[in-house]
Amino acid sequence: MQSLNAIIVDDEEFARSSLYFLLQENCPGINICGIAKSVSEARLLLQNNNIDLIFLDIAMPGDNGFSLIPQAQAANATVIFTTAYDQYALKAIKANALDYLLKPIDIDELVAAVKKADHYHLFNQANTQSRNESLKNLEKDLKDNKGINKITLPSGQGYRLVEIDEIIHIEADSNYSIFHLVSLEKITVSKVLKDFEEILPDDKFVRIHKSSIVNLKYVKEYNNKNGLVLLLKNGESITVSRRRASDFFEKIKVYTKTTP
């Protein structure tokens, strides 16, 4: 592992000291250049040091963690968010394929996140722009608090930022997920379907089978002649499993009532 210069940004003294201790004990390649208890202190550290990695708390008094994002982008520093559990914030972070650690921080998860950051700095610097777009989109999602509108998909050695309204359905293929888009393009991602089931808004997307998630916007019709089958607007037909049929009916009923 290469040596990475890092800073810790957190307003809680215990959180700062415990993370510092965990990094010292378990991540010998991390060189802590400074510890900040506010965004203003973190900005000074970024100005005066060559920083590769930022462990960034989200909820802080005054400026929250997202206000540091422009400086992080300018420094080409990888951000690992450290946060107490917040369902919406966590969903938004996952949707943008960004790294996070839940407090209290687990040692194995910390080591894995650091290894991922190390790999990014070795091989993926060319994709800094796409990572920065994901950071900006995350900030917008959390600021607007209106739901997730875009999702970041790892694609080859880079990332694709996709509007969720462009997704017709997602198909499972072993440990991979295949996204079928309005453009007829297909994007294969090395994550299981359940990961996206947890991220995508459940008022628009529904798991209809162990191998399928559909966007209700693109359901053209459905019938029960030979088991429940959906006809999508792109011409594809997908079977709904028996045990998921009631969930589909509930969601399509609500969706048709609330959508113009």
Side-chain angles (χ1 to χ4, degrees):
M1 177 178 172
Q2 61 183 327
S3 178
L4 297 177
N5 291 332
I7 61 173
I8 296 169
V9 187
D10 200 305
D11 65 307
E12 298 177 359
E13 183 177 355
F14 176 77
R16 295 193 300 270
S17 59
S18 61
L19 178 53
Y20 177 83
F21 173 77
L22 288 175
L23 288 167
Q24 292 292 302
E25 291 293 311
N26 300 282
C27 303
I30 298 297
N31 173 38
I32 303 297
C33 296
I35 299 176
K37 61 179 181 291
S38 67
V39 168
S40 58
E41 289 184 6
R43 288 193 180 107
L44 290 175
L45 289 173
L46 284 172
Q47 288 173 10
N48 298 318
N49 298 274
N50 184 19
I51 301 300
D52 305 304
L53 180 59
I54 303 171
F55 294 93
L56 181 61
D57 184 29
I58 296 174
M60 292 185 286
D63 290 338
N64 68 24
F66 295 108
S67 61
L68 188 65
I69 287 175
Q71 287 76 30
Q73 292 172 324
N76 287 330
T78 299
V79 175
I80 298 177
F81 293 100
T82 60
T83 180
Y85 183 74
D86 176 285
Q87 187 175 15
Y88 180 70
L90 193 56
K91 183 179 282 194
I93 290 168
K94 288 180 179 179
N96 287 285
L98 296 165
D99 296 315
Y100 67 94
L101 294 166
L102 285 179
K103 298 175 182 177
I105 292 172
D106 178 84
I107 293 173
D108 292 337
E109 292 176 359
L110 174 62
V111 171
V114 167
K115 285 182 179 178
K116 195 172 177 182
D118 179 56
H119 183 271
Y120 172 75
H121 275 272
L122 276 174
F123 301 108
N124 292 323
Q125 285 292 355
N127 293 297
T128 297
Q129 182 177 353
S130 59
R131 296 293 283 179
N132 285 348
E133 287 177 0
S134 293
L135 283 168
K136 288 179 181 176
N137 191 58
L138 172 63
E139 183 181 17
K140 184 179 184 299
D141 282 345
L142 294 179
K143 187 180 292 181
D144 292 349
N145 201 28
K146 294 179 180 177
I148 293 165
N149 296 309
K150 296 181 182 179
I151 183 170
T152 300
L153 302 177
S155 175
Q157 291 298 312
Y159 295 84
R160 280 279 304 278
L161 204 59
V162 174
E163 298 270 357
I164 63 167
D165 280 348
E166 295 178 18
I167 302 166
I168 296 175
H169 72 101
I170 313 166
E171 166 192 5
D173 182 9
S174 185
N175 290 325
Y176 293 83
S177 297
I178 303 171
F179 281 72
H180 295 249
L181 305 183
V182 173
S183 64
L184 303 182
E185 183 182 5
K186 296 179 182 179
I187 301 176
T188 300
V189 179
S190 58
K191 288 186 176 183
V192 296
L193 212 58
K194 183 172 176 56
D195 290 337
F196 298 107
E197 184 181 12
E198 293 173 351
I199 292 169
L200 291 166
D202 59 10
D203 60 334
K204 296 179 181 178
F205 290 82
V206 59
R207 182 84 173 258
I208 60 166
H209 191 277
K210 67 179 181 180
S211 301
S212 302
I213 294 175
V214 298
N215 186 341
L216 294 172
K217 178 179 180 179
Y218 296 104
V219 175
K220 183 177 181 180
E221 61 182 70
Y222 51 92
N223 66 72
N224 260 319
K225 291 180 181 177
N226 297 300
L228 183 56
V229 176
L230 307 186
L231 176 63
L232 303 181
K233 291 180 181 178
N234 66 348
E236 293 186 65
S237 296
I238 304 179
T239 300
V240 180
S241 68
R242 284 185 181 180
R243 74 183 194 90
R244 297 185 184 272
S246 61
D247 187 38
F248 167 74
F249 282 125
E250 285 296 319
K251 289 190 175 181
I252 195 71
K253 183 169 32 174
V254 173
Y255 181 80
T256 52
K257 284 181 179 178
T258 57
T259 304

